[in-house]
Amino acid sequence: MRKLSRRQQENRKRTENIIYSNSEEAIKILRETATAKFIESVELHANLNIDPKYADQQLRTTVTLPNGIGKSIRIAVLTNASNFTEATQNGADIVGSDDLIDEISQGNINFDLLIATPDMMPRLAKLGRVLGPKGLMPSPKSGTVSTTLSATLSEFKKGKFEYKADKTGIVHVSFGKSNFTDNQLVENLIALYKSIEQNRPPGVKGKYFKSLFICTSMGPSIQLDLNTFD
């Protein structure tokens, strides 16, 4: 069995078998245990009472956190030539039409998010096998199929992102960086929790949340009382 470092042992003592009922206190401990030599991501892991194999128990939605997640993304826009100027002026890093489709088909994916206008979707269908596994296929549900490019680009540049529950019903999502202030992380955590709560799938019966943990990339898990946000 791998031996824990002194740093890991000390962090574990501060969090093991403790359930925090105060989000401010939990975030304070989280930042104090973020002792890696780089800026760590801050993550939420929510175990939900859902079975995603059923259509009415799936969770997939978008959220814009008040303080962003501390990550800039490259956005590509697939549209017709008449929209190129609008997309470029509103922050798109890559803009194209059939030429962009050809680039993607050759495996040249130099972006983190792809936004498309509805008229381009039929041409993009053949690339489902390329974009789908990477989570880059535009869809109306994720807000990445849009006729209002200016507004859509503005939202995603401000930090809007998509998240979903995995096949076991757990949501794993980053909500900031360890160099954020306590207040910024608390605000983001509350906003993310409310987003999950408000997008409760219609097929859920009874209790929705099973457990809720936060952590940094290299830090220990910190469990939150499910009544923390009531």
Side-chain angles (χ1 to χ4, degrees):
M1 182 176 178
R2 186 173 66 88
K3 185 178 179 180
L4 294 177
S5 68
R6 181 178 177 181
R7 177 185 70 84
Q8 291 172 317
Q9 291 176 17
E10 290 176 351
N11 282 345
R12 183 169 287 189
K13 287 178 183 178
R14 303 187 66 183
T15 59
E16 209 166 36
N17 301 318
I18 300 174
I19 301 177
Y20 288 87
S21 58
N22 182 286
S23 58
E24 288 84 358
E25 184 182 1
I27 289 295
K28 182 175 182 292
I29 294 297
L30 177 140
R31 292 189 68 235
E32 290 177 355
T33 55
T35 53
K37 296 180 179 179
F38 61 90
I39 298 174
E40 301 176 57
S41 292
V42 176
E43 306 163 0
L44 174 142
H45 302 274
N47 188 1
L48 305 177
N49 182 32
I50 61 175
D51 188 346
K53 72 180 180 182
Y54 298 107
D56 64 350
Q57 294 190 45
Q58 295 176 358
L59 174 64
R60 182 176 183 178
T61 188
T62 58
V63 65
T64 303
L65 300 182
N67 303 294
I69 58 172
K71 178 183 177 183
S72 59
I73 61 172
R74 284 177 58 81
I75 301 178
V77 173
L78 179 66
T79 186
N80 59 67
S82 64
N83 294 322
F84 282 8
T85 300
E86 179 186 3
T88 302
Q89 291 179 343
N90 285 278
D93 299 285
I94 301 171
V95 180
S97 183
D98 291 328
D99 58 328
L100 180 54
I101 291 177
D102 291 340
E103 284 287 313
I104 295 171
S105 66
Q106 294 170 23
N108 298 322
I109 300 176
N110 301 312
F111 51 83
D112 305 299
L113 180 75
L114 178 61
I115 296 171
T117 47
D119 58 309
M120 301 301 294
M121 289 305 292
R123 295 186 229 177
L124 197 58
K126 63 181 180 181
L127 296 179
R129 291 184 179 180
V130 178
L131 296 171
K134 296 180 180 295
L136 292 173
M137 191 68 178
S139 72
K141 181 175 278 190
S142 66
T144 48
V145 176
S146 172
T147 56
T148 55
L149 290 177
S150 299
T152 301
L153 282 163
S154 177
E155 289 176 348
F156 281 104
K157 281 293 183 179
K158 288 178 180 177
K160 180 178 180 179
F161 64 92
E162 181 184 34
Y163 68 88
K164 63 180 180 178
D166 65 17
K167 63 182 180 181
T168 65
I170 300 176
V171 174
H172 308 276
V173 60
S174 171
F175 65 95
K177 296 286 187 179
S178 59
N179 62 346
F180 280 25
T181 66
D182 287 6
N183 191 55
Q184 287 176 321
L185 288 174
V186 169
E187 289 178 348
N188 279 2
L189 174 61
I190 292 173
L192 182 55
Y193 175 86
K194 286 182 176 178
S195 175
I196 298 173
E197 180 66 50
Q198 291 166 0
N199 287 282
R200 175 182 174 129
V204 175
K205 305 298 181 184
K207 190 176 182 181
Y208 182 30
F209 284 86
K210 289 183 178 178
S211 62
L212 190 65
F213 290 84
I214 58 174
C215 65
T216 57
S217 304
M218 304 296 289
S221 293
I222 297 171
Q223 186 172 3
L224 296 176
D225 189 311
L226 295 175
N227 296 315
T228 298
F229 304 98
D230 290 346

